[in-house]
Amino acid sequence: MDRQDPHGTARFLTRLQRRGRGGRLKMLAASGAAAFGLTAALATPLSPAPQQAQAADDGKKTLTVAVAQSVDSLSPFLATRLVSTSVHRLMYEYLTNYDPKDNHAIPGLATDWKPSPDKLTWTYTIRSNSKWSDGKKVTAEDAAWTFNKMMTDDGAATANGSFVGNFEKVTAPSATELVIKLKKPQATMAALDVPIVPKHEWESVEDFSKFNNDKKFPIVGNGPYVVTDYKADSYVRLKPNKSFWRGAPKFDELVFKYYKDGDAAVAALKKGEVSFVQGLTPAQAAALEGQSDIKVNDAPGRRFYSIATNPGARSKDGEKFGNGHPSLLDQKVRKALFLGVDRKTIVDKVFQGHAVEGKGYIPPRFTSYYWEPSDSQEWAYDPKAAGRLLDEAGYKKNGDGKRVGKDGKPLNYRMLCHATDPNDAAVGKYLKEWWGELGIGLKLNCLDNVTDPWLAGEYDLAFDGWSVNPDPDFVLSIHTCDALPATPKDTGATDNFICDKKYDQLYAKQLAEYDEAKRATLVKQMESRLYDTGYMSVMAYPNAVEAYRTDQIKSITTMPEKAGNIYGQDGYWSWWSATPADSDDSSGSSSSTGVVIGIVAAVVVLGAAGAFFAVRRRSTAEDRE
């Protein structure tokens, strides 16, 4: 899962930044922008769009992307937000990449990789035609140094530490050979989403937990772009890396610009002040459909939207903390709550069809790992059955129709929600109604910052969500016992304090299984186990709803190429491939797909940290991503 974790996981960012703990949080930010509402700005007719976003006074062709999230760090060792990891994908190469057509692993910095017969030693061939932007050659030593630093320095392991947790030794026998020895087999060796940094630039860093990589420009990298300037909560400026081995993009400038108000971003799109807007609400998408020079991309998303319960916050040492409602320790109560949720209504009324009804933990976009319960296993909407379970659990209705426990106290819950996300508020109203009919009280605790109460375990229920990567290992790992914090004072990588031994056993088996079909079977068994325990319930898989100006963008790659998203990809394909509308380059496609080679400079303007709290894996989401 990308650190693009969109929804409710702002808390993970804070916890990782504070304590420098390892964790491959890929948080998807798409939903932060989904908080955009509809105003009169959308009701006004489109006027001819001035080429403000495409042609600056100096004649540069500019691609401007409206976003609702700020960069948390320019250090790839610290950054966990989707927008940050997206920038890092443009700055640094990973060992492997993902094919935009179907997400399978393809060469990145490594041209080839192969395991030893016992699968405990992996040898990567590092390409000889990659250079750092300062002209120095990229070697295997840069990769070995990057991994070793993460293995030996807690600060350097903050964002991606889980990738190297099973590494025993990493060496570079030659400039083009990288060798990684494992403690035990690991099936994710072609999906190590770790930016490789230049050793000669980073070896002088003293404290990786505090170094944000934002004082010296240009920042040396080997990706398609080079960062030349940065202002916190405002912008990141990049130029093309003309020595990038794939070639450079075609736009002269790329701007990711922060808009606190979604309607303002849509209005800017209409005026031609921005080229692209992501995270559209159904109303905004409907208002833009059919408009001249604007294309709406409505594609299956890579994230899920769910309800998480607090099953009793605890640490690895067994100490309990927080103040979650004790009734949620009872699986019957959790099941009753979820039987009282009408997912179809949520998809139809809240997402207005721009989503798919939730089933298993991994979205249907990832066909190999997608799982759904059998008819007899499914916790489908059934208020009567929910009522019976509550009765069995000892929470019967009193004369006022309220559920009360044996202590006579009414069954009331607090639910964390994101103040900047309209989906939470809309779904919350339905939950109040549905659960109210069951005799359960619900108070929505909508905050700009859900981090503190979530980390402290001071919640009963919460709106949750993650974006999923082509390899699902990360989103599976956050529900293991090992992800719990070491002590209540420490910070873990857990999503919502789930710890189940049977689930952990399946997790260990899938991680060591190299046969794709067998591994997929194990992953589905994990999803089934997670479903049955009832600690969380997936309500929907939201679409990626975004729009761009066709009079500014001639072609741009979606991922996957057939019915895929543009923003928040597992790679740099969209912004690297985008072709200006007036380009005469024959390699460009008139559709929204097509990987192109070109030349470019880029400016990424991002803003307001507060907006991130709407972005938890409704990112994601992504979750990186």
Side-chain angles (χ1 to χ4, degrees):
M1 145 164 199
D2 272 346
R3 311 174 184 169
Q4 321 159 350
D5 163 44
H7 204 260
T9 323
R11 54 202 165 81
F12 283 95
L13 170 63
T14 299
R15 94 168 48 142
L16 289 173
Q17 287 178 320
R18 285 178 181 170
R19 311 202 181 260
R21 297 295 176 187
R24 184 170 137 205
L25 289 184
K26 304 178 177 193
M27 305 186 173
L28 181 93
S31 294
F36 296 172
L38 181 66
T39 67
L42 291 180
T44 59
L46 279 173
S47 56
Q51 299 300 305
Q52 295 176 25
Q54 183 172 348
D57 294 339
D58 56 6
K60 288 183 179 180
K61 296 176 181 177
T62 301
L63 171 57
T64 305
V65 178
V67 297
Q69 192 181 38
S70 64
V71 167
D72 52 325
S73 177
L74 285 179
S75 166
F77 296 100
L78 298 178
T80 56
R81 295 181 185 175
L82 173 62
V83 69
S84 306
T85 56
S86 296
V87 171
H88 288 136
R89 282 187 177 276
L90 301 175
M91 296 169 62
Y92 307 104
E93 279 220 277
Y94 300 174
L95 290 181
T96 60
N97 207 327
Y98 299 101
D99 192 304
K101 293 182 180 180
D102 59 11
N103 292 320
H104 77 272
I106 61 174
L109 180 58
T111 60
D112 184 55
W113 50 94
K114 57 184 179 181
S116 59
D118 63 2
K119 302 295 194 300
L120 292 177
T121 301
W122 284 74
T123 301
Y124 297 80
T125 301
I126 303 301
R127 65 175 59 255
S128 59
N129 61 337
S130 179
K131 292 182 179 181
W132 297 112
S133 53
D134 60 3
K136 296 183 179 181
K137 189 174 182 179
V138 180
T139 70
E141 180 59 30
D142 293 303
W145 185 89
T146 299
F147 289 125
N148 276 304
K149 178 56 64 174
M150 292 166 58
M151 293 164 62
T152 58
D153 187 314
D154 285 344
T158 298
N160 296 304
S162 63
F163 283 104
V164 301
N166 185 41
F167 288 12
E168 182 176 297
K169 186 178 181 181
V170 182
T171 59
S174 72
T176 58
E177 185 179 4
L178 176 73
V179 179
I180 300 177
K181 291 187 177 181
L182 303 173
K183 299 174 185 177
K184 55 186 177 181
Q186 180 172 322
T188 60
M189 296 306 286
L192 300 175
D193 295 339
V194 177
I196 303 302
V197 303
K199 175 183 176 182
H200 64 279
E201 286 288 321
W202 284 82
E203 59 185 348
S204 62
V205 174
E206 296 181 357
D207 189 343
F208 277 76
S209 68
K210 297 179 180 179
F211 182 71
N212 282 313
N213 197 28
D214 59 359
K215 297 295 186 284
K216 179 183 176 182
F217 300 99
I219 298 175
V220 177
N222 66 332
Y225 300 99
V226 177
V227 173
T228 60
D229 192 19
Y230 165 70
K231 183 177 180 181
D233 297 331
S234 183
Y235 66 83
V236 180
R237 191 180 305 272
L238 301 92
K239 69 176 183 180
N241 177 7
K242 296 183 179 180
S243 64
F244 183 52
W245 66 274
R246 285 189 190 273
K250 291 188 175 299
F251 274 91
D252 298 314
E253 216 168 40
L254 170 63
V255 179
F256 283 71
K257 186 176 182 180
Y258 170 69
Y259 280 86
K260 184 176 182 179
D261 178 76
D263 291 334
V266 173
L269 181 74
K270 292 169 57 179
K271 296 175 182 177
E273 295 172 351
V274 300
S275 315
F276 177 93
V277 175
Q278 49 92 18
L280 296 173
T281 63
Q284 290 169 336
L288 292 173
E289 283 282 4
Q291 298 286 5
S292 176
D293 297 325
I294 289 182
K295 178 179 177 62
V296 174
N297 184 47
D298 187 355
R302 49 185 289 245
R303 70 181 183 86
F304 61 80
Y305 178 48
S306 67
I307 297 173
T309 66
N310 180 348
R314 53 180 162 163
S315 53
K316 289 180 184 177
D317 62 7
E319 186 173 349
K320 298 178 180 180
F321 59 95
N323 58 9
H325 202 292
S327 66
L328 294 173
L329 298 176
D330 189 333
Q331 191 222 34
K332 287 185 177 180
V333 174
R334 299 194 301 269
K335 184 173 182 178
L337 288 174
F338 297 152
L339 289 177
V341 177
D342 187 348
R343 294 167 181 78
K344 186 177 186 304
T345 292
I346 290 173
V347 170
D348 292 344
K349 301 298 184 180
V350 177
F351 291 99
Q352 296 180 31
H354 297 276
V356 176
E357 186 175 336
K359 298 287 186 179
Y361 188 57
I362 296 175
R365 166 168 165 171
F366 301 100
T367 55
S368 296
Y369 300 109
Y370 177 64
W371 170 89
E372 55 185 0
S374 64
D375 290 343
S376 60
Q377 182 183 18
E378 184 175 6
W379 295 9
Y381 181 55
D382 190 340
K384 291 184 179 180
R388 290 194 296 270
L389 282 173
L390 290 170
D391 287 340
E392 293 174 11
Y395 296 94
K396 299 180 181 294
K397 284 186 176 181
N398 61 14
D400 296 326
K402 304 294 183 181
R403 294 281 172 179
V404 295
K406 295 179 180 179
D407 57 4
K409 293 182 179 180
L411 196 57
N412 296 320
Y413 294 120
R414 304 156 299 163
M415 187 164 196
L416 281 176
C417 77
H418 307 82
T420 50
D421 192 335
N423 291 329
D424 284 5
V427 173
K429 290 180 180 179
Y430 281 106
L431 295 181
K432 279 188 174 182
E433 177 184 342
W434 295 328
W435 290 345
E437 292 174 353
L438 290 174
I440 297 172
L442 180 66
K443 179 181 179 181
L444 293 179
N445 189 16
C446 296
L447 306 171
D448 288 332
N449 178 3
V450 300
T451 300
D452 292 341
W454 206 315
L455 283 175
E458 296 175 351
Y459 67 97
D460 301 324
L461 303 158
F463 288 105
D464 197 4
W466 289 86
S467 79
V468 180
N469 286 342
D471 188 296
D473 178 69
F474 174 74
V475 291
L476 298 174
S477 72
I478 59 177
H479 297 305
T480 61
C481 299
D482 191 52
L484 295 173
T487 72
K489 295 181 179 179
D490 291 308
T491 297
T494 184
D495 180 33
N496 57 314
F497 306 102
I498 294 175
C499 178
D500 179 77
K501 291 184 178 180
K502 184 174 181 180
Y503 179 89
D504 277 16
Q505 291 171 356
L506 291 169
Y507 175 79
K509 288 181 180 179
Q510 68 82 29
L511 185 61
E513 180 56 70
Y514 285 97
D515 183 281
E516 293 183 7
K518 291 180 179 179
R519 185 182 179 217
T521 297
L522 288 168
V523 169
K524 291 177 182 178
Q525 290 175 10
M526 293 177 67
E527 294 181 77
S528 179
R529 179 62 181 175
L530 192 62
Y531 188 94
D532 288 342
T533 58
Y535 292 117
M536 62 181 300
S537 176
V538 176
M539 293 182 286
Y541 310 111
N543 288 3
V545 187
E546 47 202 9
Y548 65 89
R549 293 200 65 92
T550 57
D551 57 351
Q552 295 179 21
I553 302 174
K554 178 181 180 180
S555 65
I556 191 166
T557 298
T558 55
M559 186 176 187
E561 286 189 348
K562 293 183 178 180
N565 56 293
I566 295 173
Y567 183 81
Q569 295 181 355
D570 296 292
Y572 44 65
W573 308 112
S574 55
W575 314 124
W576 173 74
S577 70
T579 304
D582 61 357
S583 172
D584 58 1
D585 181 72
S586 59
S587 64
S589 167
S590 59
S591 69
S592 61
T593 64
V595 176
V596 200
I597 295 179
I599 298 180
V600 128
V603 178
V604 182
V605 180
L606 309 148
F612 173 69
F613 297 112
V615 186
R616 187 208 180 209
R617 231 134 175 39
R618 306 204 229 303
S619 81
T620 43
E622 57 15 323
D623 19 17
R624 256 183 161 151
E625 284 264 14

